[in-house]
Amino acid sequence: VETFNNDSINDLMDVLLKAKLNTENNNSHLLPGLELTDDYLLMTVADIFGAGVETTATVLKWSILYLLHYPEVQQKIHDELEKVLSFNRYPLLKDRQHLPYLEATISEVLRIQPVAPLLIPHEALEDTSIGEYIIPKGTHVIINLWSIHHDEKEWDKPKEFNPGRFLDEDGNRIYSPSPSYFPFGAGIRVCLGEALAKMELFLFLAWTLQRFTLSVPEGHVLPEPVGKFGVVLQAPEFKVKVTLREAWKEK
């Protein structure tokens, strides 16, 4: 609030404060429950941090843990990055379409360890049904994404970490090899940050793996990839050794 300038709107907080002040200055009479209270502003910002920061950071932790468990996957990503980018420049978003194995690895992490295993609770707005099941208006609906992503009827060996399931025979990217894949939800209530999250995950992992090799520190035991339930599905604590790749030592 102290740094707010009505003539210089730089972020979401500025937008919310401007709307709140405009409403108060114009003495607008909003319907009960629609006022822009301090609690509303604080909870909105908390939602942004919780949904847009904690989730992406958690997926990155899971990604690194699986790369440590599967060094052959990391090597394939290194090879792909070297083939497409060499060491002449850093990765850009436009490179996503040319790095299918890295994209497939991210997709597999999102499948095997969905950051929100039960997604976000929803409420039925009207009487409806799914198959033989009747869902009355007002019913709270919770989707068990974990079960869907590990359904043996939909996925071949779902407990195995296999980025190849998101590639066709020619090594091209498959967005969804099964209709039972929606780590960001589905429909009109799909996660608003899906596009941003995918960009962040790609850029962070592409930049990191182009420049560094990730390994398990000597004397350290790598934990099994078993999550801990909380606000999101947290990865177990682990240590990682980050080593500059030989090609970058010469630069």
Side-chain angles (χ1 to χ4, degrees):
V1 176
E2 294 178 357
T3 61
F4 173 72
N5 184 340
N6 196 52
D7 296 323
S8 178
I9 303 301
N10 299 310
D11 51 37
L12 174 65
M13 195 62 182
D14 284 347
V15 173
L16 293 172
L17 288 172
K18 182 175 182 178
K20 183 177 187 298
L21 292 174
N22 286 345
T23 301
E24 294 173 349
N25 293 336
N26 295 331
N27 295 318
S28 299
H29 298 287
L30 298 176
L31 295 174
L34 296 181
E35 305 91 347
L36 291 175
T37 63
D38 290 344
D39 284 344
Y40 177 91
L41 266 63
L42 291 173
M43 290 307 297
T44 299
V45 174
D47 284 345
I48 294 298
F49 275 98
V53 177
E54 181 67 18
T55 49
T56 302
T58 298
V59 176
L60 288 172
K61 291 177 185 176
W62 280 116
S63 300
I64 293 172
L65 180 59
Y66 274 100
L67 290 174
L68 295 178
H69 272 287
Y70 296 85
E72 69 277 11
V73 170
Q74 182 178 175
Q75 185 59 55
K76 287 184 179 180
I77 296 175
H78 281 154
D79 293 343
E80 184 178 65
L81 287 166
E82 186 171 347
K83 178 181 178 181
V84 175
L85 304 177
S86 185
F87 300 99
N88 299 319
R89 64 175 179 84
Y90 290 112
L92 303 172
L93 283 176
K94 66 180 182 180
D95 296 315
R96 289 176 66 184
Q97 60 183 316
H98 304 299
L99 297 167
Y101 193 79
L102 173 57
E103 285 280 272
T105 301
I106 294 172
S107 295
E108 177 68 345
V109 172
L110 291 170
R111 181 200 68 83
I112 199 168
Q113 296 292 352
V115 68
L118 299 179
L119 289 180
I120 302 297
H122 290 70
E123 182 177 317
L125 299 180
E126 57 185 36
D127 293 338
T128 186
S129 64
I130 297 179
E132 62 186 59
Y133 299 98
I134 304 299
I135 302 177
K137 178 180 179 180
T139 300
H140 289 175
V141 179
I142 298 177
I143 307 299
N144 189 341
L145 184 59
W146 177 272
S147 178
I148 294 171
H149 278 189
H150 291 79
D151 186 351
E152 293 185 350
K153 296 178 181 179
E154 294 290 334
W155 302 94
D156 179 38
K157 300 178 181 179
K159 294 182 180 179
E160 292 186 7
F161 181 74
N162 176 22
R165 71 175 82 246
F166 286 90
L167 299 171
D168 64 17
E169 294 180 354
D170 298 321
N172 298 314
R173 173 88 161 82
I174 301 175
Y175 172 73
S176 180
S178 165
S180 296
Y181 179 70
F182 38 93
F184 295 93
I188 61 173
R189 299 298 182 185
V190 69
C191 175
L192 292 175
E194 177 177 1
L196 177 61
K198 288 179 177 179
M199 289 188 289
E200 290 175 333
L201 292 170
F202 169 79
L203 287 175
F204 181 90
L205 290 173
W207 278 57
T208 300
L209 294 174
Q210 184 196 34
R211 196 173 182 92
F212 301 102
T213 297
L214 309 178
S215 60
V216 182
E218 185 176 353
H220 179 69
V221 178
L222 193 64
E224 292 299 313
V226 178
K228 297 181 292 183
F229 285 97
V231 177
V232 295
L233 186 64
Q234 290 284 356
E237 292 186 1
F238 63 92
K239 292 185 178 181
V240 56
K241 179 181 178 181
V242 181
T243 306
L244 187 65
R245 298 180 67 193
E246 289 297 327
W248 291 99
K249 293 180 180 179
E250 301 172 0
K251 292 183 179 295

